[in-house]
Amino acid sequence: MNSGTGSGVFFRPPFYRLFYGLAFCLFTGFAASAQSPGPGISGVLEWDKMEISAQVSLDLGPLGLTLPTGRTQAEELITAEYLALMRPLILSIPVDSSGFVGDHLGDGDFSLFRAESYALSARSTPPAMTADMSRMQAAYTISLQGLSAEFIRHPRPFNPPRILAAAPAAAYTGILIIAGGELPLHGTRRNASVLPCLFPKIWDSNMNLIYDKTMLESRETVMVHYSCEESIFQDNPSGLSPELRALVGDRPLRILARGVYGIRPTDPVIDAEDALTILSAEENRRLLQQGKVVIVLEKDELKNSF
């Protein structure tokens, strides 16, 4: 199983708990699948699309299934095993710098029942045979937006920090934090790439907290969106892709991240002057509450294969 890209051995990408924190339920499941002819799963989590695309497949030969009589049995096997295969992947999605979905089981934020309900919400295509008629495959797509809403619990949003001596600042239509490649990892002498998660915090260079999920005004709002570097170098007046313009408008505040922070390096660190620009104008503070924030990463940092 691929673990995707990362910044080194210590800081692994979001699915590293397939072998560590959730190692038991995953390793035993995949070890069993390696020794048995049951369905297997592969796919990718794409943070720029905020979705998981998975393919469940079944090799008919080892099961002794032949067409056309074995088709119905193969379809039933794929459908029956889908939840067991998808559940550990959902539990291994990173929530923030210190935890994964599976870490919240039993604390009131999440449950195995919710994980299964979430898996069943997937858009799916019916099982179909491969061209060589040796395997049956079914595709599933799950949006991360609904999962994000599960972890928003505050009854009313907290206000972003206020500046006593606010500096004059222009009003922007969104916030772009450009954080691709390796950045200084706060508190260490190492560099690390920003790893996507559902709720990254944003800090300034004085380590003041600028943005976290408690500031969102709606639980249906995604806290941050992710995009690739190509989307900010388009051949048009704004330089932005249509998808990015829909999120942050034509006049976003562009910020170069100065570092990254977290037990897992998920949280961009921005310059204190850029933080002042955000917090000095009420219009810009509202951008945080509305989730009009995009973190721009390199393309291969936005995908986690499994």
Side-chain angles (χ1 to χ4, degrees):
M1 176 174 292
N2 294 332
S3 59
T5 60
S7 56
V9 173
F10 185 76
F11 293 109
R12 296 178 183 269
F15 281 176
Y16 85 99
R17 281 215 171 181
L18 293 174
F19 297 103
Y20 288 87
L22 295 173
F24 180 78
C25 68
L26 291 172
F27 181 77
T28 54
F30 282 106
S33 68
Q35 298 173 13
S36 67
I41 191 168
S42 63
V44 62
L45 189 161
E46 298 178 278
W47 288 98
D48 52 340
K49 296 181 179 180
M50 289 296 284
E51 66 182 25
I52 301 172
S53 298
Q55 186 175 76
V56 179
S57 60
L58 179 68
D59 191 347
L60 303 184
L63 291 172
L65 298 177
T66 57
L67 299 177
T69 56
R71 184 183 184 94
T72 300
Q73 185 177 352
E75 291 178 354
E76 291 174 349
L77 280 171
I78 285 179
T79 301
E81 291 298 319
Y82 164 69
L83 275 181
L85 293 167
M86 183 58 73
R87 187 188 302 117
L89 297 175
I90 291 172
L91 296 180
S92 67
I93 293 173
V95 174
D96 51 29
S97 68
S98 60
F100 296 75
V101 170
D103 296 327
H104 293 267
L105 293 178
D107 66 4
D109 283 342
F110 209 66
S111 66
L112 283 176
F113 173 77
R114 292 301 306 150
E116 292 180 354
S117 297
Y118 186 63
L120 291 173
S121 73
R123 305 189 307 272
S124 62
T125 59
M129 298 301 302
T130 57
D132 62 4
M133 306 299 283
S134 66
R135 300 180 67 81
M136 179 170 283
Q137 297 175 336
Y140 301 85
T141 303
I142 301 178
S143 169
L144 294 184
Q145 183 168 354
L147 183 62
S148 173
E150 295 281 347
F151 295 91
I152 303 294
R153 299 291 181 179
H154 52 271
R156 60 181 61 89
F158 287 86
N159 290 319
R162 292 188 176 276
I163 304 297
L164 295 179
Y172 294 92
T173 58
I175 299 170
L176 283 177
I177 300 177
I178 304 168
E182 292 197 339
L183 297 168
L185 178 61
H186 181 78
T188 76
R189 296 182 179 179
R190 298 190 302 273
N191 293 333
S193 297
V194 173
L195 300 181
C197 68
L198 294 177
F199 302 111
K201 297 180 176 68
I202 296 174
W203 307 82
D204 74 6
S205 49
N206 296 320
M207 297 314 293
N208 296 308
L209 179 63
I210 305 302
Y211 184 41
D212 72 0
K213 69 178 182 179
T214 65
M215 300 175 193
L216 286 176
E217 62 184 12
S218 170
R219 69 190 303 266
E220 305 304 324
T221 301
V222 174
M223 180 185 173
V224 300
H225 296 265
Y226 291 94
S227 189
C228 63
E229 292 178 333
E230 287 85 346
S231 65
I232 62 174
F233 297 112
Q234 299 290 301
D235 186 17
N236 60 55
S238 71
L240 306 179
S241 68
E243 295 80 9
L244 202 53
R245 287 179 63 194
L247 294 173
V248 296
D250 291 317
R251 302 185 317 281
L253 173 62
R254 297 173 185 246
I255 298 172
L256 288 175
R258 300 302 182 186
V260 62
Y261 180 60
I263 298 173
R264 294 179 61 259
T266 60
D267 302 351
V269 178
I270 64 175
D271 192 90
E273 291 298 319
D274 291 320
L276 188 63
T277 299
I278 296 172
L279 300 179
S280 291
E282 186 61 32
E283 298 90 340
N284 298 338
R285 290 157 51 84
R286 285 280 294 159
L287 298 176
L288 299 177
Q289 294 179 309
Q290 295 170 349
K292 292 185 178 295
V293 179
V294 174
I295 298 176
V296 179
L297 302 178
E298 294 180 354
K299 184 176 293 186
D300 60 358
E301 295 170 340
L302 296 170
K303 299 181 187 297
N304 299 112
S305 300
F306 54 89

